[in-house]
Amino acid sequence: MAGINIPGVSDKYKTDDLVESLMKVERIPLTREQDSLDKYKDQQNAWRDVNQKMSSLRESVKTLYSFDNPFNNKLTSSTEENNITATAKRNAEFGSFNVKVITPATADRFMSDELQKDYSVPEGTYTFQVNDKSVSMNWKGGKLSDFIAFVNKRGNNIIKSDVIGMNNGTQSLLIESLKTGSDNRLEFKDDALSFAKSVHLISPVKPETETFGIRNSEIIAPEISSLQIIEQNGMPEISEKNVSANNQGITVPPRGGLMLQLPEKYRNTSDVHVEFTLAAVPVPDITAEINEMLKRPVLPDTGKIDFGGVTVENGNSETSLPAPPFQELKPVEDKNEVFIRMADGSMKALKSSAFENNAEKGESKISINANDYPGIQALVIINRNTGMQMHITPVSVYIRKDSSGFAPDHPISTAGDAEIQYEGITIKRPTNTIDDVIPSVTLNIKDKTKDTATISIKPDTDSAKQALITFIGKYNQAIAEMNILSQDKPEIIQELDYLTDDEKKTEEKKLGMFLGDFSLTNAKSQLQTIVSANYKYSDKATLTMLNQIGISTQASGGGSGYTPGRLRGYLEVDEKKLDSSLGNNLDAVKNLFGYDSDGDLIIDSGIGYAIDRQLTAYIQSGGIIAGKTNALDTQIKASEGKITKLQTQLDAKESELKEKYGQMESTLNNLETQKNTISNFSNQRNND
């Protein structure tokens, strides 16, 4: 019957109750150990809470002296916010400057004629090019709306398209470049060109070309001193004297040279193109003639006389003097004959890419893009050859946008550079985001300004103030946690107005948990010493303490009366004093939290640095709190092992008691049965 309990049949002698009462006494060590285990776990959780509060405070204080500290944040403002704004990096200088937007950078945006709703775009290879980038796509033909989706999907950040509803159910196609700047013109290639012409996105135009280099009056002596040409002694100098010009062009004889100035309106203008053809024609070499002249003695000029419009020249002098000694000259062959004269007077050789040589005709077509030679003023032609004559066709000059071969029929905008005036200096850039004019400042152009905009860069005191307030909150939370765990005073929790009722109940369970542990009281004392210390970051520093900027245990005023909260070490803020300090002494506030004391460019002192270093000793791996939790881990494991052992012993003890008392109850039941049998037998005998 051991272990079996049938009400009304078994447990007649209340053996289960007797066993349970005996087991209660046996369970006392187990209950005591379970209470210890719960205590260890609560303590471990409490240390983790402290670790979390300290870690949060450390992260907060690190932001006050690290490279990303809020004291370096900049705010920008513009008097023309709708037209131009600016963004400043952390190392931008404080101050203000004036910018006037003459025109923003624009991109090509072309619209077609009005098209019917059922218009179908023919199939083909559609290629679109913007400067040196192009996108090509094979279109199978179909509706205009499908074509637009097709182009936008494959536009590759170069172009995009759209449809615009027009009159009477018609629609127009809009094609636009996604690149601004005068160099980023939208061009149509392959089947896209024929399509663009068919819907009148573009139409052919005749370039407006100006021709020069056809009059002798345009020929100027070349300035070749900067070219540093090494010549043979006795070789005639390069001269424009025998250079001639007519409607067919310019002829440059051997040892001839000239300079042709670009027409005034094409100088210092972008997108100017200059074209001409240069042919070299062999002629009898003049070297022999020059050598013959050098053999003769040099005689003075015999002179001449003018009378009545008639010039009479004297005959050449005759002499029997021997020829002077000389070194015979050698023929010269040279191909570097075209140069560009810049606005500053310097000379640049023409790039080889400008030449398109035709060997059969013995000539070269020369095409010069003025954008490759900013400041181009004139062409310089030098013929150093002694046996070659050069012929130059009349020079054509034009502006590319007028002579690209096509022009938009319905331009919404055309590609152009942004033009601004910065402090009166005119500057052009291809985009509306300009970051190379003012150091560490990016200008964002939206539209042209009516008046000059004043852009100001100021410190972001609001973010600095918010960071300081966050630090104070984290500091007070850490101090509050240490107060609760190290003191047994219920009022500590009631003073914390930011806690909810449930949070207060949770904190009450931790009240005084580490009353005899000096780790927390030491940590609190060290933090209080740090925030009240003097940090003289320079000999001239006047703002050296936290209470000078409005942060202290008595910052909110209220007299000198007794206040329990102040005695517990919580920081308060005098906002007016803090605002004044941030507005007038921002650098001093920054240095108060972190500065370099020995000149090695590494922060090694200040409130922020000191708190960071102090808390690191507690929360780092292997630190004080890690040591506490590891010790508790050992105790928890030992306690769990002990509980398991005690539970096994109790189970065995309970089984033993139940077995013994079950046997006793069985014996008693047998005796009771025997008693009843004897009693019944005796009664029967008496009845008989």
Side-chain angles (χ1 to χ4, degrees):
M1 292 185 60
I4 300 175
N5 182 7
I6 303 175
V9 178
S10 61
D11 200 21
K12 179 178 179 181
Y13 302 101
K14 303 297 182 180
T15 56
D16 285 348
D17 293 341
L18 181 61
V19 169
E20 182 60 30
S21 62
L22 292 173
M23 288 304 299
K24 282 183 180 179
V25 177
E26 296 289 339
R27 289 194 186 100
I28 291 174
L30 175 64
T31 303
R32 187 183 301 118
E33 195 60 40
Q34 286 175 332
D35 291 341
S36 296
L37 177 62
D38 291 339
K39 177 184 175 183
Y40 296 149
K41 289 182 177 181
D42 289 342
Q43 289 179 344
Q44 192 175 57
N45 289 333
W47 280 117
R48 287 171 178 162
D49 288 343
V50 173
N51 187 81
Q52 188 274 328
K53 294 290 194 304
M54 287 186 172
S55 297
S56 183
L57 172 58
R58 178 172 176 260
E59 290 302 315
S60 173
V61 82
K62 278 178 72 72
T63 63
L64 295 175
Y65 77 92
S66 67
F67 175 78
D68 293 328
N69 69 80
F71 306 109
N72 286 338
N73 291 345
K74 306 294 192 301
L75 288 177
T76 60
S77 62
S78 171
T79 56
E80 301 287 339
E81 290 283 347
N82 294 328
N83 306 86
I84 180 172
T85 60
T87 53
K89 295 181 180 179
R90 295 169 59 82
N91 56 341
E93 300 234 349
F94 296 129
S96 61
F97 49 86
N98 296 320
V99 178
K100 183 175 183 179
V101 180
I102 299 173
T103 179
T106 53
D108 278 337
R109 302 180 69 213
F110 303 157
M111 195 168 68
S112 72
D113 280 350
E114 295 183 17
L115 307 172
Q116 296 300 318
K117 269 199 170 181
D118 59 353
Y119 180 83
S120 180
V121 180
E123 66 175 329
T125 301
Y126 286 73
T127 302
F128 305 91
Q129 183 166 337
V130 178
N131 201 342
D132 59 347
K133 297 187 180 298
S134 64
V135 57
S136 186
M137 52 194 77
N138 294 320
W139 167 247
K140 295 182 179 180
K143 296 188 297 183
L144 182 62
S145 58
D146 294 336
F147 176 75
I148 290 170
F150 180 79
V151 170
N152 290 341
K153 186 176 180 180
R154 294 162 177 79
N156 199 26
N157 294 323
I158 296 175
I159 63 162
K160 74 173 184 177
S161 60
D162 204 352
V163 65
I164 300 175
M166 302 301 286
N167 302 316
N168 301 321
T170 60
Q171 54 190 354
S172 287
L173 171 66
L174 174 66
I175 296 282
E176 60 181 304
S177 163
L178 297 178
K179 305 289 184 182
T180 59
S182 59
D183 287 339
N184 295 319
R185 289 194 168 83
L186 173 61
E187 296 183 23
F188 302 87
K189 305 284 186 179
D190 301 327
D191 294 313
L193 178 59
S194 56
F195 168 69
K197 290 190 291 184
S198 69
V199 297
H200 293 283
L201 281 165
I202 57 174
S203 295
V205 294
K206 185 178 180 180
E208 294 182 6
T209 303
E210 186 171 338
T211 302
F212 65 102
I214 58 175
R215 291 178 292 275
N216 285 326
S217 59
E218 297 178 90
I219 297 173
I220 304 173
E223 299 175 5
I224 61 174
S225 58
S226 62
L227 296 179
Q228 298 180 348
I229 299 174
I230 300 175
E231 299 281 14
Q232 303 175 63
N233 290 331
M235 183 66 72
E237 293 183 354
I238 304 296
S239 172
E240 83 288 356
K241 291 181 180 179
N242 295 321
V243 177
S244 61
N246 55 38
N247 289 335
Q248 302 303 314
I250 301 173
T251 300
V252 185
R255 305 300 297 172
L258 73 150
M259 182 167 67
L260 282 177
Q261 289 186 328
L262 269 65
E264 184 72 29
K265 70 177 182 179
Y266 295 104
R267 301 175 198 170
N268 302 317
T269 303
S270 61
D271 295 319
V272 170
H273 281 244
V274 179
E275 293 181 355
F276 60 92
T277 300
L278 185 149
V281 181
V283 295
D285 197 294
I286 64 173
T287 307
E289 180 182 349
I290 298 171
N291 285 331
E292 186 64 31
M293 292 178 62
L294 292 175
K295 293 178 182 179
R296 304 169 189 167
V298 179
L299 299 175
D301 190 2
T302 57
K304 61 182 178 180
I305 186 171
D306 293 327
F307 181 77
V310 178
T311 300
V312 179
E313 295 186 358
N314 292 326
N316 292 330
S317 300
E318 295 181 3
T319 180
S320 59
L321 295 174
F326 76 100
Q327 186 174 359
E328 192 170 284
L329 300 178
K330 296 179 181 180
V332 177
E333 293 183 6
D334 183 29
K335 294 183 179 179
N336 297 324
E337 58 272 319
V338 183
F339 298 88
I340 304 295
R341 186 180 185 277
M342 312 306 291
D344 60 1
S346 63
M347 304 278 280
K348 290 186 178 181
L350 195 61
K351 298 178 181 179
S352 59
S353 59
F355 292 84
E356 184 180 337
N357 298 319
N358 189 326
E360 293 182 4
K361 294 184 178 181
E363 62 183 27
S364 297
K365 182 179 179 181
I366 297 174
S367 179
I368 302 172
N369 184 350
N371 290 332
D372 295 333
Y373 307 91
I376 180 174
Q377 298 290 302
L379 304 176
V380 176
I381 313 296
I382 304 296
N383 183 11
R384 294 183 58 233
N385 298 281
T386 55
M388 197 72 69
Q389 179 173 282
M390 296 167 55
H391 182 74
I392 303 167
T393 60
V395 183
S396 299
V397 59
Y398 58 85
I399 298 177
R400 181 187 175 194
K401 64 183 179 182
D402 295 331
S403 57
S404 59
F406 297 93
D409 283 350
H410 312 288
I412 297 176
S413 66
T414 56
D417 292 335
E419 185 175 350
I420 65 172
Q421 285 185 345
Y422 167 65
E423 298 294 350
I425 303 171
T426 300
I427 297 170
K428 290 184 178 181
R429 292 293 184 272
T431 70
N432 288 318
T433 301
I434 303 175
D435 60 3
D436 60 352
V437 173
I438 306 150
S440 301
V441 176
T442 299
L443 299 176
N444 306 302
I445 299 173
K446 302 175 183 178
D447 201 353
K448 62 182 179 180
T449 55
K450 182 179 179 181
D451 300 314
T452 299
T454 298
I455 296 177
S456 302
I457 302 176
K458 299 178 180 179
D460 186 1
T461 55
D462 287 341
S463 66
K465 178 181 178 181
Q466 187 58 48
L468 289 172
I469 291 175
T470 300
F471 154 68
I472 293 168
K474 301 294 184 183
Y475 177 90
N476 286 344
Q477 288 178 359
I479 294 295
E481 191 71 13
M482 288 185 274
N483 283 337
I484 291 170
L485 292 169
S486 61
Q487 300 179 45
D488 189 13
K489 297 178 180 179
E491 58 268 24
I492 294 176
I493 299 174
Q494 299 305 318
E495 292 167 358
L496 304 178
D497 297 334
Y498 56 84
L499 295 178
T500 64
D501 291 340
D502 290 340
E503 289 172 336
K504 287 182 178 180
K505 290 179 181 179
T506 301
E507 294 299 323
E508 286 172 357
K509 296 178 182 179
K510 298 189 291 185
L511 192 64
M513 184 176 288
F514 302 135
L515 191 60
D517 193 317
F518 292 101
S519 300
L520 294 179
T521 54
N522 287 340
K524 175 184 172 182
S525 176
Q526 290 159 352
L527 288 176
Q528 290 177 315
T529 299
I530 290 171
V531 298
S532 61
N534 190 319
Y535 298 89
K536 195 170 181 64
Y537 53 85
S538 72
D539 294 337
K540 298 180 179 179
T542 56
L543 197 158
T544 60
M545 297 184 69
L546 202 58
N547 62 5
Q548 291 178 284
I549 66 172
I551 300 174
S552 69
T553 56
Q554 299 187 29
S556 62
S560 57
Y562 169 75
T563 304
R566 291 176 178 175
L567 294 179
R568 304 196 205 286
Y570 302 131
L571 292 177
E572 300 175 350
V573 182
D574 181 342
E575 286 203 46
K576 290 184 178 180
K577 194 171 183 179
L578 180 60
D579 290 341
S580 176
S581 299
L582 292 174
N584 301 318
N585 297 289
L586 184 64
D587 286 340
V589 177
K590 172 186 171 183
N591 289 330
L592 190 60
F593 282 88
Y595 62 92
D596 172 21
S597 64
D598 54 12
D600 62 355
L601 303 180
I602 299 176
I603 301 296
D604 56 14
S605 190
I607 296 172
Y609 173 82
I611 292 178
D612 179 15
R613 187 173 182 181
Q614 183 63 45
L615 293 178
T616 299
Y618 280 83
I619 65 177
Q620 68 182 348
S621 178
I624 295 173
I625 294 180
K628 298 286 187 181
T629 55
N630 290 339
L632 286 168
D633 267 335
T634 302
Q635 290 177 301
I636 288 172
K637 289 179 182 178
S639 181
E640 288 174 340
K642 194 172 182 180
I643 287 173
T644 301
K645 184 177 180 180
L646 287 172
Q647 188 65 56
T648 301
Q649 293 174 350
L650 287 172
D651 290 343
K653 184 67 175 178
E654 186 175 12
S655 296
E656 180 186 355
L657 289 174
K658 284 184 177 181
E659 183 178 358
K660 288 181 178 180
Y661 282 96
Q663 291 174 353
M664 179 194 73
E665 186 173 350
S666 176
T667 300
L668 291 174
N669 286 333
N670 288 334
L671 291 174
E672 182 70 24
T673 300
Q674 291 177 7
K675 173 187 173 183
N676 291 335
T677 300
I678 294 172
S679 177
N680 290 334
F681 179 76
S682 176
N683 290 333
Q684 186 176 3
R685 288 288 301 270
N686 291 331
N687 291 332
D688 291 342

